Amino acid sequence: MGSPPRLILASASPRRRELLARLDVTPDAIAPADIDETPHDGELPRDYAVRMAREKALAAATDQGFVLAGDTVVAAGRRILPKAEDEDTARRCLELLSGRRHTVLSAIALAAPGGALREKLSVTQVKFKRLSADEIAAYLESGEWDGKAGGYAIQGAAEGLISWIQGSHSGVVGLPLFETRALLKAAGFELG
């Protein structure tokens, strides 16, 4: 019996490592992909999420093992919400999402040694309660929004502001476990 396949995670996200650990998977290496993440003109959120996961996997691809990459996109209709890098961006995102349903697209791609690529997409609907100015201010004060798509982290205090979710909670966090498990099993990884 040969050695198990080697897995490289193309992400520095501690959340993705924590989620992989729930599948009892520890990456052998971390190799964040440095790519241009600018959406193309007119690019739809679904297409953008899949393209980002694919490009990250291919940018980090190696003959030394499988490369797992992911990307999570928050969309309000056809609009791709940014990763909140400052408080004003986070506030605008939260004000836009307040009281309405939005879509979280979490795409994953697995590049095999030799170039074969497998992809999956998780689509989750999320609805925030109508947020008061005080609730938005308190959430901004927490700092959880920093670097998060759509200006929030469902695994933190924002979960108490979400009235409804349909789909993958882990996908909203950043790595859809059902889809990830399916990709890894199809590639020959031993999973429970």
Side-chain angles (χ1 to χ4, degrees), residues 5-186:
R6 179 173 153 80
L7 181 66
I8 299 155
L9 181 61
S11 172
S13 166
R15 289 169 306 287
R16 287 198 175 108
R17 287 194 304 273
E18 290 166 10
L19 288 165
L20 269 178
R22 293 183 191 174
L23 296 176
D24 202 25
V25 172
T26 302
D28 297 296
I30 306 294
D34 185 21
I35 64 167
D36 179 5
E37 295 190 38
T38 306
H40 294 159
D41 286 342
E43 189 170 28
L44 295 175
R46 175 184 298 258
D47 298 335
Y48 172 71
V50 171
R51 180 175 66 84
M52 286 296 93
R54 179 186 312 123
E55 287 185 9
K56 288 175 183 179
L58 293 174
T62 174
D63 286 335
Q64 304 303 309
F66 289 85
V67 174
L68 178 66
D71 197 70
T72 301
V73 173
V74 175
R78 300 170 74 113
R79 181 175 173 188
I80 298 168
L81 286 140
K83 288 184 181 170
E85 301 298 340
D86 58 60
E87 195 172 291
D88 286 339
T89 301
R91 177 180 283 105
R92 283 193 305 275
C93 288
L94 292 171
E95 288 171 351
L96 177 67
L97 297 175
S98 175
R100 68 185 285 193
R101 192 165 68 173
H102 63 278
T103 304
V104 179
L105 302 139
S106 192
I108 53 171
L110 185 68
L117 187 71
R118 292 180 168 96
E119 302 170 337
K120 289 209 175 276
L121 177 69
S122 165
V123 180
T124 303
Q125 299 294 317
V126 180
K127 183 179 181 190
F128 271 95
K129 69 181 280 309
R130 186 162 306 282
L131 302 173
S132 70
D134 287 345
E135 287 169 325
I136 290 173
Y139 189 72
L140 293 172
E141 177 92 11
S142 77
E144 286 182 355
W145 52 267
D146 191 20
K148 305 298 188 302
Y152 74 93
I154 196 172
Q155 68 273 22
E159 191 165 13
L161 304 173
I162 291 170
S163 62
W164 179 84
I165 179 172
Q166 180 179 24
S168 172
H169 185 276
S170 62
V172 179
V173 175
L175 189 72
L177 292 182
F178 181 82
E179 289 80 0
T180 300
R181 183 178 188 279
L183 274 188
L184 292 174
K185 281 189 76 74

